[in-house]
Amino acid sequence: MLRGNAVDSILVGALKDLTRQRSDIISERVKFSNKLTALLDQGFPGFRKVFSSLRTKSALAVLARFPGPEEICGANRIDIAETIAFAAGRNTESAYAVKKTNHLLDIAEQAMQLQVERGSFKPLITLFAEMLIQIQRAADQIERQIFETAQRDRTFWGQVELLTSIPGIGQYAAVVILAEIGDFSRFKKAKQLVAFAGIDPAVKQSGTSAYKHNKISKRGSPYLRKILDICTHVAAHKGRNQQPANPVLAAYYEEKHRAKPANVAQCACIHKMLGYIFSVLRNQKPFELRSPEDHLALMRSKTAGIAA
């Protein structure tokens, strides 16, 4: 995979630093989003029904300018629509801007009927909204830098494209995985990659005996485990189209989940995902989705060919 020379080492190191910094920033975004949610539930009930997420640019732009129902009800409808449209990159008269403006005004009027002292909430709502806007800008800027850095090396970017053939793994996730793995030539077996990721069972020593727990070791990079968890969830669970990205892995999850807790079933699927990653990087071939029966038949045919 990576050639292992000084240029590659510097590239991987830079990408690891950048992706980890972005991950830490996103964690801060989650923390402040939770704080903002708690404030809105008290100071502006119903606001969260207007937008799909508080992290959307439109929602944050509105809160930074109109932190309470009084500000919404006292504002000009056109000003509200312009704030929403500009943040979303749409026209003021677009269906999106009009619909959100109308919904927001209705929610604000309902919130006004509740006798709540909101004076202390508004400055904090504005502050957290502005902080989230800045955090998102920083995350976006780092993400652009990550892709610019990754695409400078054709060999590395070729590995990114290989990994994206695996259902559930997008370009950004592929960059993170490759940066965290580093020199893939160190791994001769899939089990070694599993152990490196810290997904292998933990072993507890007691006197002269050792026994396994039903917990993973969590050795290695927590950033790698986090992105693997996200990719595996995308692959094994239904998405917006109500279909999993990898129906074979989804069936495997359901099978495990019938006898085991959800986190154990998820961990078993991460094992599978690491197996996919190892196979793709070792063979330098795109991923091919096969059922367990198809895979077994293929192995038998190869074995028969060798024996012949």
Side-chain angles (χ1 to χ4, degrees):
M1 191 190 90
L2 299 181
R3 295 183 296 276
N5 57 28
V7 174
D8 291 329
S9 176
I10 293 172
L11 172 72
V12 171
L15 287 171
K16 183 185 291 186
D17 289 341
L18 287 169
T19 54
R20 288 185 174 189
Q21 286 292 336
R22 185 179 182 278
S23 179
D24 292 344
I25 287 174
I26 294 300
S27 295
E28 289 297 306
R29 185 180 70 177
V30 172
K31 181 171 67 176
F32 285 112
S33 291
N34 292 338
K35 290 179 180 291
L36 184 57
T37 297
L39 288 169
L40 288 171
D41 287 345
Q42 299 175 72
F44 200 162
F47 180 88
R48 292 195 292 133
K49 296 179 181 179
V50 180
F51 298 93
S52 59
S53 170
L54 281 183
R55 299 173 189 173
T56 62
K57 293 180 179 180
S58 298
L60 293 176
V62 168
L63 290 173
R65 187 174 178 186
F66 311 106
E70 292 86 356
E71 285 74 16
I72 291 293
C73 291
N76 186 294
R77 176 186 290 268
I78 296 177
D79 289 341
I80 299 172
E82 285 180 347
T83 301
I84 294 171
F86 181 78
R90 307 195 187 195
N91 188 282
T92 305
E93 298 178 356
S94 66
Y96 175 84
V98 172
K99 180 180 178 180
K100 294 299 181 185
T101 300
N102 291 337
H103 194 181
L104 194 56
L105 285 167
D106 290 341
I107 290 294
E109 289 177 3
Q110 294 174 26
M112 287 285 286
Q113 297 175 11
L114 302 175
Q115 300 299 317
V116 178
E117 174 51 51
R118 286 180 276 264
S120 60
F121 296 134
K122 293 178 184 179
L124 290 174
I125 289 174
T126 300
L127 176 63
F128 289 147
E130 290 176 346
M131 290 179 70
L132 283 166
I133 291 171
Q134 294 302 321
I135 287 173
Q136 187 58 56
R137 285 175 180 168
D140 291 344
Q141 183 176 349
I142 294 175
E143 184 174 335
R144 286 193 295 271
Q145 188 175 354
I146 287 168
F147 280 114
E148 288 174 3
T149 302
Q151 290 171 352
R152 288 174 192 161
D153 189 292
R154 291 184 179 180
T155 301
F156 184 90
W157 192 250
Q159 305 310 303
V160 169
E161 293 181 334
L162 265 179
L163 284 189
T164 58
S165 68
I166 302 173
I169 299 181
Q171 287 184 337
Y172 181 81
V175 172
V176 175
I177 291 168
L178 290 169
E180 292 296 333
I181 288 176
D183 183 7
F184 179 72
S185 65
R186 295 174 296 164
F187 307 104
K188 306 304 179 185
K189 298 179 180 179
K191 287 184 178 180
Q192 293 175 324
L193 183 57
V194 170
F196 175 79
I199 308 297
D200 56 323
V203 177
K204 183 177 180 180
Q205 192 77 28
S206 179
T208 58
S209 64
Y211 57 93
K212 290 184 178 181
H213 280 276
N214 60 354
K215 295 182 179 180
I216 59 176
S217 68
K218 291 189 177 181
R219 292 175 295 188
S221 167
Y223 297 93
L224 178 57
R225 286 193 296 277
K226 182 177 180 180
I227 200 68
L228 287 170
D229 182 60
I230 293 171
C231 292
T232 303
H233 190 276
V234 171
H237 294 78
K238 293 180 180 179
R240 291 182 178 179
N241 62 353
Q242 297 302 307
Q243 295 295 327
N246 186 334
V248 174
L249 193 62
Y252 180 74
Y253 174 86
E254 293 299 330
E255 177 188 345
K256 290 293 182 182
H257 192 22
R258 280 194 287 269
K260 300 288 185 179
N263 63 324
V264 177
Q266 175 73 359
C267 189
C269 288
I270 294 175
H271 271 259
K272 288 281 190 182
M273 181 65 78
L274 281 165
Y276 299 156
I277 292 169
F278 179 84
S279 178
V280 164
L281 294 180
R282 179 194 60 189
N283 299 329
Q284 288 295 287
K285 293 182 179 179
F287 176 79
E288 294 182 20
L289 185 62
R290 302 191 191 100
S291 67
E293 294 77 15
D294 291 339
H295 181 73
L296 182 59
L298 180 64
M299 291 299 100
R300 284 174 175 171
S301 65
K302 287 184 177 180
T303 302
I306 293 172

